[in-house]
Amino acid sequence: MAEALISGAVHINTPDDSMTSAMAYLHDKKSDFDVVPPLHLGDLDITTDEFILDEVDLHIQANLEDDLVKEALKTGVDLRQYSKQVETELQRIEQASIKDYIKESQNIASLHNQITACDSILERMEGMLSSFQSDLSSISSEIQTLQQQSVSMNMRLKNRQAVRSQLSQLVDELVVPSTMISVILDSPVTEQEFLEQLHELNNKINFAKELSFRETLACSDIQDIVDRLKIKAVSKIREFILQKIYSFRKPMTNYQIPQNTLLKYRFFYQFLLANERTVAKEIRDEYLDTMSKIYFSYFKSYSSRLLKVQYEDVADKDDLMGEEDTAKKGFFSKPSLKSRNTIFTLGQRGEVLNPTELEGPILIPHAAQRGESRYPYETLFRSQHYALLDNGCREFLFLSDFFMVAGNSALDLFNSIMGKTLSMFMKNLSTYLSDCYDSIAVFLCIHIILRFRAITAKRNIPALDKYWEAVLELLWPRFELILEMNIQSIRNTDPQKLGVLDTRPHYITRRYAEFSSAIVSINQTFPNERTNTLLGQLQIEVENFVLKMAAEFPSRRDQLIFLINNYDMMLSVLMERAADDSKEVEGFQQLLLARTQEFIEEILSSPFGGMIAFVKESEGLIEKGQLDKLKNDEARITQLVRGFSSTWKQSVEALSQDVMRSFTNFKNGTSIIQGALTQLIQYYHGFHKVLSQPTLRSLAVRSELINLHHLMVEVKKHKPNF
């Protein structure tokens, strides 16, 4: 019993700390003293190979290394006696330990029972868990089976839904509802419900065509009723569109209103084009024929009415720039214009190119006739072509939208409608140009077309592009021809046949100035190199003409006055309209400056010629270092000094009056006087410098020279102010 308890104590963890400590101490002590196991002589067999002395030596050596053995050997303790003490102590401790275990035997037995109960409980739980694990295994397999069934069912569901959607769509497309039948048969085409059902019918027709290609048997079930509905719809649509087209033909009809109605139902034509091309072509041809006649009739009437409000006086072949105002006509010839200058003057005619006027309302001929208003040709041309532009752009957009065409197809339809009208315009323009000599009118028409072409390009309407080019091909050659005729007329002008000579600006140069400024100002927006070249030729001929006319005057003074007056007049007119840096303006500025400087020298030579000649001669001698040649000219110098002092005021006054009488432009006359007086002061200043040279410094007459500052003050009093 005690041994069992001891063995049980070894395997359990008792809570008693003292018992545990004692057992641990006993165990340690026992290990300390059981260094060398007891040796029994009976076990030794020196005759066998198992007895190895080396191993004994190793045991002895290991025991000798023990600390307790070392300590005992050092102190000289008797090992046998010490061993017996230890054994006695161990027995005592063992007896005490046995008593402790006997004392705690009930607790140990209770613990053992508890452990046994726990083992049984754990065993039952292990059985339950094993059963649960097996249940889980069976459930997992069932779940996998259910999952596979679910995937299979989901796949079958998707397949059925896909089939159902296709079958549902097929059935929906195949079924012709009674609502569609009643609406197509009975409702007016203008009803929104009819348009909606027409869309549905169109879809069913297309679907039936698709099924027929697949040879679907169900298609035959609805084909008959769909065809009947299509025929009925086509019939009603044809009747509706033709009625709208026929309504265009009524007098005083605003055809834009039925056009807008047709655009609202543009799907009708799309339906016809997809399902009944013969009817679609019939409607398109009927529309093209009707609109072609309407436009031709409208523009023919409008053009003829416009001509009734044109100016009666128009230029003819004799109304050229170089023609004389007093040229006589034959008895049977028509009277000339009251004033040829109006042919070459722009005036208010240029307003036709202003954006507000260019795109303004067109002229109403009968209203203008009632007011007895008359207009130049370019105004009528603008009104006629703006009406063409407006109607042409609207018509092109309608054709593209309603008939669903673009590019060349749209242009072909447009030309089918507007072709006759455009040909009529070209014929009328060609007739007018064949007898037209109004170059400004032609040039304004050119720029009207250039601006209208830009407008159609901005609107992205290419329908009239070829017409614009054709019109320009008529206008440009005529304009160049008229301009060349005017150049030739000036080249052929005979100054002796132009009447009495006069130093005032000539009427031919005024014509040129007005005409050139008009063309230059118009040409700034759309510059043309050919026009600039012709204007350059015209300018050269006018300059030659002015020189030829000036040569008819006997005196150089009158020649210069004539040249300055004409150059100044032409420059003033040009600067009103042309840019300051234009070559025409720059050319006449240089000519005017050169002739003005020459005229100043001319008018100063009469009263002050002696002094001017002396100054120029002396300055030349000073440059050559030959001033000593003037020592013998004391009498001449004295006469010059005293003559200038006594007569300069009267001479300046006479010079000023003469200049102001000679020039028609007061501003120009004032500028010439100011230049002459400035030049006079410069000459007198040079006279002072010559007399201050060492060679002439001792002359007594130097004291009679007028103070230069005083002279400048006095001269300023004679400066005219305007």
Side-chain angles (χ1 to χ4, degrees), residues 426-694:
M426 293 294 293
K427 181 179 179 181
N428 293 344
L429 180 61
S430 179
T431 302
Y432 168 78
L433 291 176
S434 64
D435 196 35
C436 174
Y437 297 90
D438 188 352
S439 53
I440 289 182
V442 177
F443 199 60
L444 285 172
C445 290
I446 290 174
H447 279 263
I448 288 171
I449 294 299
L450 292 175
R451 284 161 173 77
F452 283 168
R453 185 172 66 180
I455 291 173
T456 54
K458 185 177 180 181
R459 295 181 183 180
N460 196 24
I461 304 295
L464 293 169
D465 289 350
K466 291 185 178 180
Y467 174 73
W468 300 140
E469 295 300 328
V471 172
L472 290 175
E473 288 176 2
L474 284 179
L475 292 172
W476 275 117
R478 188 63 188 181
F479 171 73
E480 293 173 1
L481 176 63
I482 299 173
L483 199 52
E484 289 170 353
M485 292 174 65
N486 281 287
I487 293 172
Q488 189 64 36
S489 69
I490 294 177
R491 185 182 295 129
N492 297 336
T493 299
D494 186 358
Q496 295 180 355
K497 296 181 180 181
L498 296 179
V500 181
L501 291 175
D502 192 346
T503 57
R504 291 176 297 180
H506 200 274
Y507 58 83
I508 290 181
T509 58
R510 179 170 291 279
R511 291 175 186 172
Y512 162 76
E514 294 287 353
F515 176 77
S516 181
S517 65
I519 299 301
V520 170
S521 63
I522 295 171
N523 200 44
Q524 288 175 351
T525 306
F526 294 92
N528 179 266
E529 192 60 35
R530 174 62 177 164
T531 302
N532 294 332
T533 302
L534 291 173
L535 285 179
Q537 296 177 9
L538 180 61
Q539 181 179 351
I540 293 173
E541 294 301 330
V542 170
E543 291 174 4
N544 294 336
F545 165 76
V546 173
L547 293 176
K548 287 193 297 183
M549 288 296 299
E552 296 294 315
F553 291 92
S555 67
R556 183 58 181 168
R557 178 180 176 279
D558 289 341
Q559 291 177 359
L560 292 173
I561 292 173
F562 177 80
L563 291 173
I564 292 172
N565 274 331
N566 281 276
Y567 291 152
D568 177 65
M569 182 272 299
M570 289 188 286
L571 184 61
S572 299
V573 175
L574 282 170
M575 292 183 69
E576 288 180 1
R577 295 186 181 275
D580 293 342
D581 59 348
S582 65
K583 64 178 184 179
E584 291 85 4
V585 171
E586 292 178 352
F588 284 115
Q589 282 177 337
Q590 295 174 1
L591 291 172
L592 178 62
L593 181 62
R595 299 289 79 80
T596 300
Q597 194 62 37
E598 184 181 353
F599 178 74
I600 289 174
E601 296 290 337
E602 181 71 22
I603 60 176
L604 290 177
S605 64
S606 177
F608 308 108
M611 182 190 69
I612 294 172
F614 176 78
V615 170
K616 291 180 178 179
E617 178 185 352
S618 300
E619 288 176 348
L621 293 174
I622 291 173
E623 290 179 0
K624 297 177 181 179
Q626 301 174 359
L627 195 60
D628 294 339
K629 293 182 179 181
L630 297 177
K631 289 182 179 180
N632 300 326
D633 288 344
E634 182 177 354
R636 178 186 174 191
I637 294 172
T638 301
Q639 181 182 0
L640 291 175
V641 172
R642 292 174 179 172
F644 183 85
S645 300
S646 60
T647 62
W648 74 270
K649 289 185 179 180
Q650 295 85 349
S651 298
V652 168
E653 184 67 30
L655 180 148
S656 299
Q657 294 178 0
D658 183 43
V659 168
M660 297 312 298
R661 285 194 302 268
S662 300
F663 297 99
T664 55
N665 185 348
F666 286 165
K667 184 178 179 180
N668 185 40
T670 302
S671 176
I672 292 174
I673 293 174
Q674 185 176 358
L677 296 179
T678 302
Q679 189 66 30
L680 175 61
I681 292 174
Q682 289 178 353
Y683 279 132
Y684 198 68
H685 178 63
F687 191 52
H688 267 265
K689 288 178 65 177
V690 171
L691 295 183
S692 64
Q693 296 296 318

Side-chain angles (χ1 to χ4, degrees), residues 116-132:
T116 302
C118 286
D119 286 342
S120 64
I121 293 171
L122 290 174
E123 185 177 359
R124 289 197 304 272
M125 290 186 65
E126 182 180 4
M128 292 173 61
L129 290 174
S130 298
S131 175
F132 184 68

Side-chain angles (χ1 to χ4, degrees), residues 142-208:
E142 291 178 1
I143 290 175
Q144 291 180 354
T145 304
L146 290 175
Q147 185 177 7
Q148 293 174 357
Q149 292 177 357
S150 175
V151 171
S152 176
M153 291 175 66
N154 188 35
M155 182 63 68
R156 290 197 300 272
L157 176 62
K158 288 182 178 179
N159 292 337
R160 290 177 181 180
Q161 287 177 343
V163 172
R164 178 184 177 184
S165 63
Q166 294 183 2
L167 287 176
S168 176
Q169 182 179 0
L170 178 63
V171 171
D172 290 341
E173 294 293 343
L174 288 174
V175 172
V176 180
S178 58
T179 304
M180 176 186 294
I181 298 174
S182 61
V183 169
I184 295 296
L185 294 178
D186 302 329
S187 295
V189 295
T190 55
E191 294 291 336
Q192 181 64 27
E193 190 177 10
F194 180 87
L195 186 60
E196 294 174 357
Q197 293 300 326
L198 188 66
H199 278 279
E200 291 296 327
L201 177 60
N202 189 56
N203 293 333
K204 292 187 182 300
I205 293 173
N206 294 333
F207 189 72

Side-chain angles (χ1 to χ4, degrees), residues 393-405:
C393 289
R394 185 182 293 108
E395 188 62 37
F396 182 80
L397 292 175
F398 175 82
L399 292 173
S400 301
D401 197 0
F402 185 79
F403 292 105
M404 297 177 296
V405 290

Side-chain angles (χ1 to χ4, degrees), residues 260-504:
N260 293 334
T261 303
L262 288 177
L263 284 177
K264 183 179 178 182
Y265 300 103
R266 64 173 65 86
F267 180 72
F268 288 173
Y269 183 79
Q270 182 179 348
F271 181 83
L272 294 178
L273 194 63
N275 299 290
E276 198 62 52
R277 287 185 172 271
T278 305
V279 177
K281 184 178 184 302
E282 177 191 3
I283 289 176
R284 188 189 65 186
D285 293 344
E286 190 67 31
Y287 177 83
L288 297 180
D289 182 65
T290 299
M291 293 308 297
S292 175
K293 293 177 180 178
I294 289 174
Y295 280 124
F296 180 77
S297 175
Y298 166 73
F299 279 108
K300 181 179 180 181
S301 174
Y302 184 66
S303 299
S304 62
R305 290 172 182 270
L306 281 179
L307 293 177
K308 296 180 181 179
V309 295
Q310 184 182 359
Y311 280 134
E312 296 178 358
D313 294 335
V314 294
D316 59 18
K317 62 181 179 179
D318 295 321
D319 294 317
L320 299 175
M321 196 176 295
E323 293 293 328
E324 185 182 358
D325 265 348
T326 57
K328 295 182 179 180
K329 296 278 186 177
F331 181 76
F332 294 103
S333 60
K334 65 179 181 179
S336 177
L337 290 177
K338 295 180 180 179
S339 175
R340 283 194 179 87
N341 289 336
T342 58
I343 304 173
F344 308 102
T345 302
L346 184 62
Q348 298 299 317
R349 298 172 70 180
E351 294 298 318
V352 73
L353 297 179
N354 289 339
T356 54
E357 179 69 21
L358 187 70
E359 300 183 53
I362 63 174
L363 290 177
I364 308 300
H366 61 271
Q369 282 181 304
R370 284 201 302 266
E372 297 184 355
S373 300
R374 292 293 182 268
Y375 301 95
Y377 179 78
E378 64 272 7
T379 301
L380 309 181
F381 184 86
R382 194 282 317 175
S383 182
Q384 181 187 45
H385 281 80
Y386 186 68
L388 173 65
L389 181 148
D390 194 39
N391 286 277
C393 289
R394 185 182 293 108
E395 188 62 37
F396 182 80
L397 292 175
F398 175 82
L399 292 173
S400 301
D401 197 0
F402 185 79
F403 292 105
M404 297 177 296
V405 290
N408 292 330
S409 298
L411 293 177
D412 291 341
L413 293 184
F414 180 83
N415 292 330
S416 298
I417 292 176
M418 303 299 294
K420 290 177 61 178
T421 301
L422 298 181
S423 298
M424 177 191 68
F425 276 14
M426 293 294 293
K427 181 179 179 181
N428 293 344
L429 180 61
S430 179
T431 302
Y432 168 78
L433 291 176
S434 64
D435 196 35
C436 174
Y437 297 90
D438 188 352
S439 53
I440 289 182
V442 177
F443 199 60
L444 285 172
C445 290
I446 290 174
H447 279 263
I448 288 171
I449 294 299
L450 292 175
R451 284 161 173 77
F452 283 168
R453 185 172 66 180
I455 291 173
T456 54
K458 185 177 180 181
R459 295 181 183 180
N460 196 24
I461 304 295
L464 293 169
D465 289 350
K466 291 185 178 180
Y467 174 73
W468 300 140
E469 295 300 328
V471 172
L472 290 175
E473 288 176 2
L474 284 179
L475 292 172
W476 275 117
R478 188 63 188 181
F479 171 73
E480 293 173 1
L481 176 63
I482 299 173
L483 199 52
E484 289 170 353
M485 292 174 65
N486 281 287
I487 293 172
Q488 189 64 36
S489 69
I490 294 177
R491 185 182 295 129
N492 297 336
T493 299
D494 186 358
Q496 295 180 355
K497 296 181 180 181
L498 296 179
V500 181
L501 291 175
D502 192 346
T503 57
R504 291 176 297 180

